[in-house]
Amino acid sequence: MRPDTPADHTTEAERLLRAAARYPEDREPLLLQAAAHLELAGDRARATTLYDELLGSPDLDHPHLVKALNAANLWEYGHEAEARAIIEGIRAAGPLDPGAWEIAAETLEAHDELEAAHDCFSTALTLLLSPGEEVPYATQSLLFGRHRVRRLMGVGHDAWDELADTLHTATVPLDELHDPGRLWSLGSSDPGELQAEITRLRAELGTYRTALSRPFPVAVLHWPEAELAELLTAYPDLRAEYPSHPEHLARLEAALRDLHQAGTPNLGIVTGTVPSYEAFAASEAASPTDPDLLPQYATTLAARGRAIPWPPARSASCWCGSGRAYRECHGAD
């Protein structure tokens, strides 16, 4: 059962903190989940303590996302000046993490700082999108958020708004979902207006359910060359799965392209290591030689926040670790 009361959220936070102590390799995502539950429990000061603890870690995977979450939490319990300073720091740093930009912009939006929110969304999209490139799954929400803010500001559509309309797949158009006048319909006595609002709410609920049903990417498992050599030396039965490292890389790229063409959103790549894989096999009471364990291991790594989105920007470094740009390595059409 999902936590429902403040006490339930506190209990869940404590469970996650215990898990973080037991599994230090997953400390960051577990502490972030614990902080979210503490916020829902109303214990925002303790949530800030967790964010600060994470930010003191030298090997943080998503520092700007943690900063953005911390800013959002601080603003909610009276530390507006500190929150603003953190958000300005994020904007100045220009991270390539769309999640950090989204949280920062939505925090500004939630406090009626529409111009600043619009600028934050726009800056992020300018940084993360290149003309003519496909919009990554994680970046689409920035387009939708910017569209929403522009509707609240009462400005006309531009090219990014039109792109957001194209990417939006719900039955109710974005312009209708983001209509600033929707709140008036909730107090209307007109059955037609009330029915239209019910339809819009159902469309929004469907979008949220879709997002919740895919909380982490559909991920494929990548073995760096040295790790794959160690894996096959220890478990030669897996050679049927991995004939060679170049073949392994080619198969991964082909699998991702097939999934993408089939319409699967939110694709990603997770990188395996032999010690981690052996520990996972032991936790599942299974043999590392079982090929059916490999996709389960990939899913587990993705759930821990270890996936990198695919496809990368064509100018970005290739996911395979070659050091070359993606378009030069695996990204050629």
Side-chain angles (χ1 to χ4, degrees), residues 214-286:
R214 196 179 302 283
F216 47 82
V218 173
V220 297
L221 179 60
H222 165 231
W223 294 98
E225 188 169 8
E227 291 291 338
L228 184 60
E230 182 179 345
L231 179 75
L232 297 179
T233 299
Y235 308 106
D237 288 351
L238 292 176
R239 289 188 181 278
E241 299 294 318
Y242 304 112
S244 69
H245 191 253
E247 178 67 16
H248 167 53
L249 298 183
R251 286 181 178 182
L252 285 192
E253 181 71 18
L256 288 163
R257 287 177 180 249
D258 288 345
L259 287 168
H260 181 67
Q261 290 174 4
T264 305
N266 203 16
L267 297 172
I269 298 171
V270 292
T271 299
T273 66
V274 174
S276 170
Y277 179 60
E278 290 174 336
F280 175 73
S283 71
E284 295 292 312

Side-chain angles (χ1 to χ4, degrees), residues 289-306:
T289 61
D290 183 359
D292 291 338
L293 199 64
L294 296 167
Q296 297 176 42
Y297 175 53
T299 299
T300 300
L301 291 178
R304 294 173 181 173
R306 302 298 180 86

Side-chain angles (χ1 to χ4, degrees), residues 173-188:
L174 273 184
D175 275 350
E176 193 170 342
L177 289 178
H178 294 164
D179 181 0
R182 281 181 60 184
L183 290 177
W184 291 101
S185 66
L186 296 177
S188 172

Side-chain angles (χ1 to χ4, degrees), residues 23-42:
Y23 304 104
E25 68 276 12
D26 297 326
R27 180 171 175 270
E28 182 176 338
L30 290 170
L31 289 189
L32 285 179
Q33 291 178 53
H37 281 289
L38 289 173
E39 289 188 40
L40 291 169

Side-chain angles (χ1 to χ4, degrees), residues 11-96:
T11 299
E12 182 63 11
E14 297 293 350
R15 184 190 70 79
L16 290 163
L17 290 172
R18 290 192 296 271
R22 291 178 58 195
Y23 304 104
E25 68 276 12
D26 297 326
R27 180 171 175 270
E28 182 176 338
L30 290 170
L31 289 189
L32 285 179
Q33 291 178 53
H37 281 289
L38 289 173
E39 289 188 40
L40 291 169
D43 196 350
R44 293 189 175 275
R46 191 178 175 200
T48 293
T49 299
L50 286 186
Y51 291 132
D52 288 340
E53 182 180 336
L54 276 170
L55 290 169
S57 303
D59 54 351
L60 200 60
D61 290 332
H62 304 287
H64 292 100
L65 175 62
V66 178
K67 289 179 181 179
L69 290 167
N70 193 23
N73 180 53
L74 285 166
W75 203 324
E76 287 299 324
Y77 76 110
H79 297 272
E80 177 183 337
E82 186 176 354
R84 286 181 181 276
I86 293 171
I87 291 173
E88 284 304 313
I90 293 170
R91 294 171 66 178
L96 299 179

